[in-house]
Amino acid sequence: MDVGAAATAVGLFLVGVIVVIWATERLLEGLVGLGRLLRLAPFAIAAILSGFEAENIAVGVTAAKAGASQIALGTVFGGAIFLVCVALGLGAIIAPLRVQVPPGILFMLALTPLAAGLPLVSATTPRLAGLVLLLASVGSLAYLVLASRGHQFFESKEVSEALREQKSWMSAVGLTLLGIAVIAVGGELVTSGATRIVGTFGVSAAVMGMLVTPAAIELEEVIRQAVPAREGRPDVSAGNLSGTLIYFVLFNFGVITLLAPVPVAPLTRSLDWPFLIGSTWLALIFLARGRVGRPQGFALLGVYAAYWILHLLLRG
């Protein structure tokens, strides 16, 4: 193994992850500023703006255009499974989540992973399916905002501080554009590094795409879940979870499929999609009970461990 090539591959991957996370914070700051200027409700900001994961879609689209289909699909399936198992599970272990989510929103979220199967019906994801997912994402977010009306929602510290800052339109738009531009650069680095790691270390493309890359990019989701719940604002955690799941499965997958259709590996149909459905429904069952405590958190982490084991055994 070429030590220099290995160091370059890992270096590109890690630098890319750091860049996209930093850029996402700038983008989030800009989006929250826009939310303040547009007078969006706090829950809408948590669900729509905090749930928006620009680094995920940047890596997904870049990987799809580069022909790295497993990494592109991993940002959808691997990212969403990481969200409902690790972000929610570990977050609940750190700070048990007690929240009453409207039943209509829970039902809508239960349908979301089923919709992810639409682009999987063909050998290559069809563009029409991508358009359908994009329209579904808009409808889902609109329903989420409408169904949340009349409920008392609290603001996370991050959102509260951002809302108190009187940003100008120029500042809000500037931060948003800066975040998008830098995230695109970071997405290129992550994809390049991940592709080189696959070649240098002999890591399965499925493992790199579905497990390693999504986990590295989405680590901050654990903090976004745990902090609001620990500060007595679990509804913000639930809003972030709901919005992020919709973005990953409907919006991001829709954009990837529409802009750069990718071939579908059999393992995606037989393992990743069923695991997405099962893990999401398990998390929603816990949320429907009004409490995701430490036992439920460990259960979700156990599901994710099983997902890793099966991928390592079946990697292709």
Side-chain angles (χ1 to χ4, degrees):
M1 180 178 66
D2 188 336
V3 177
T8 300
V10 174
L12 284 172
F13 182 78
L14 294 178
V15 170
V17 170
I18 292 171
V19 168
V20 293
I21 291 176
W22 178 88
T24 299
E25 295 304 322
R26 307 288 77 75
L27 176 60
L28 180 60
E29 188 178 351
L31 289 174
V32 171
L34 289 175
R36 173 71 172 107
L37 293 168
L38 294 171
R39 301 181 184 278
L40 293 177
F43 177 76
I45 293 174
I48 297 177
L49 302 186
S50 180
F52 181 70
E53 294 285 339
E55 73 272 25
N56 181 281
I57 190 172
V59 172
V61 172
T62 303
K65 289 184 176 180
S69 61
Q70 286 297 313
I71 294 175
L73 291 176
T75 62
V76 177
F77 293 93
I81 293 171
F82 181 90
L83 173 73
V84 298
C85 289
V86 180
L88 178 59
L90 189 54
I93 292 172
I94 297 172
L97 184 66
R98 295 178 176 84
V99 62
Q100 296 293 331
V101 180
I105 291 180
L106 291 175
F107 180 72
M108 180 264 294
L109 293 176
L111 297 178
T112 298
L114 294 177
L118 185 60
L120 305 182
V121 297
S122 303
T124 299
T125 55
R127 294 183 190 274
L128 179 59
L131 179 60
V132 172
L133 290 183
L134 283 175
L135 294 175
S137 71
V138 174
S140 296
L141 289 172
Y143 174 76
L144 185 146
V145 173
L146 291 174
S148 67
R149 287 181 176 177
H151 292 265
Q152 181 64 44
F153 290 105
F154 299 93
E155 303 166 356
S156 71
K157 182 178 180 182
E158 176 184 356
V159 176
S160 297
E161 291 177 351
L163 288 174
R164 282 196 295 266
E165 297 177 2
Q166 294 292 335
K167 291 186 179 300
S168 64
W169 281 99
M170 182 177 295
S171 174
V173 173
L175 284 169
T176 301
L177 295 178
L178 173 65
I180 293 173
V182 178
I183 284 171
V185 175
E188 292 281 358
L189 293 174
V190 170
T191 302
S192 177
T195 303
R196 294 188 186 199
I197 289 174
V198 171
T200 303
F201 292 96
V203 178
S204 163
V207 171
M208 193 68 204
M210 291 293 175
L211 302 178
V212 179
T213 302
I217 295 177
E218 304 305 329
L219 282 175
E220 78 274 10
E221 280 297 327
V222 177
I223 299 174
R224 292 187 184 184
Q225 285 300 122
V227 170
R230 191 169 185 175
E231 294 183 353
R233 292 177 281 268
D235 46 343
V236 173
S237 296
N240 175 73
L241 179 75
S242 302
T244 305
L245 183 64
I246 292 170
Y247 277 119
F248 277 14
V249 178
L250 300 180
F251 184 81
N252 293 11
F253 199 12
V255 170
I256 291 171
T257 299
L258 188 62
L259 297 183
V262 295
V264 179
L267 197 61
T268 300
R269 295 192 188 94
S270 62
L271 177 61
D272 301 309
W273 183 40
F275 242 92
L276 173 61
I277 295 173
S279 58
T280 300
W281 285 3
L282 179 61
L284 292 176
I285 289 172
F286 293 155
L287 284 172
R289 295 169 61 249
R291 187 179 190 276
V292 184
R294 292 187 174 90
Q296 293 77 30
F298 281 113
L300 290 171
L301 290 180
V303 170
Y304 192 68
Y307 179 60
W308 266 77
I309 292 171
L310 286 174
H311 246 291
L312 292 175
L313 292 175
L314 301 174
R315 72 184 202 176

